[in-house]
């Protein structure tokens, strides 16, 4: 891998993004599997849950790994809305990454919740900007959070 370390300070937002992606992989056992994920492990989605569009015209790929992780990638020049899988009572999807959100694409992380409260996706759907990706994790809601 090639990385221009001499410009790391200028590209601090990218460094932070990749640090968070490495930390996410370390936190989530589902991202460290050594075996092939089958249909019981990973569920594929499209704009609707469990309805992936595998056609040549589709520019959207979404998947979930149980109640642990949801990811959606919009490679279209058009925005789109995706339906989120329903989680069990007391659980919510919390945004981890939204590449369209700000410079480094990170939603608030567990280590900076005091500074940036978590963004919960309680509407049952989420909008994806053109050429963007999101990652959400299933979390137990804490009492005071909205």
């Amino acid at each position: 891998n090639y990385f221009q370390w001499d410009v790391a300070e200028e590209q601090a937002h990218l460094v932070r993004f990749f640090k968070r992606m490495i930390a996410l992989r370390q936190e989530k056992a589902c991202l460290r599997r050594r075996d092939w994920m089958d249909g019981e492990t990973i569920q594929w989605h499209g704009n609707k849950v469990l309805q992936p569009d595998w056609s040549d015209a589709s520019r959207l790929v979404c998947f979930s790994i149980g109640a642990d992780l949801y990811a959606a990638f919009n490679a279209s020049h058009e925005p789109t809305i995706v339906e989120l899988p329903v989680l069990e009572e007391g659980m919510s999807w919390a945004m981890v990454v939204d590449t369209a959100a700000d410079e480094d694409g990170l939603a608030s992380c567990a280590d900076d919740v005091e500074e940036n409260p978590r963004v919960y996706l309680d509407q049952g759907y989420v909008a994806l900007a053109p050429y963007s990706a999101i990652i959400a994790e299933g979390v137990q809601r804490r009492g005071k959070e909205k």
Side-chain angles (χ1 to χ4, degrees), residues 70-92:
Y70 176 86
F73 304 89
N74 181 15
S76 173
H77 65 280
E78 297 285 336
T80 192
I81 295 175
V82 295
E83 181 181 52
L84 297 167
V86 176
L87 295 172
E88 62 187 55
E89 187 70 31
M91 298 283 291
S92 292

Side-chain angles (χ1 to χ4, degrees), residues 9-17 98-106:
E9 195 171 299
E10 293 172 33
Q11 300 292 324
H13 62 285
L14 284 177
V15 173
R16 181 172 182 252
F17 179 85
D98 181 352
T99 60
D102 59 25
E103 186 177 65
D104 64 10
L106 295 174

Side-chain angles (χ1 to χ4, degrees), residues 53-59:
D53 180 356
W54 298 120
S55 71
D56 289 343
S58 176
R59 299 292 178 257

Side-chain angles (χ1 to χ4, degrees), residues 27-76:
E27 292 166 15
K28 301 287 182 189
C30 67
L31 297 176
R32 296 188 315 271
R33 296 175 57 108
R34 297 201 181 272
D35 57 330
W36 186 259
M37 290 189 197
D38 59 20
E40 292 183 24
T41 307
I42 188 168
Q43 294 79 43
W44 296 97
H45 312 291
N47 292 96
K48 298 279 186 187
V49 171
L50 297 175
Q51 295 180 22
D53 180 356
W54 298 120
S55 71
D56 289 343
S58 176
R59 299 292 178 257
L60 178 69
V61 175
C62 309
F63 67 89
S64 58
I65 303 173
D68 208 28
L69 189 94
Y70 176 86
F73 304 89
N74 181 15
S76 173

Side-chain angles (χ1 to χ4, degrees), residues 132-145:
S132 69
I134 64 146
I135 299 174
E137 62 181 334
V139 296
Q140 191 76 35
R141 289 293 288 261
R142 294 186 285 230
K144 296 180 182 178
E145 294 178 315

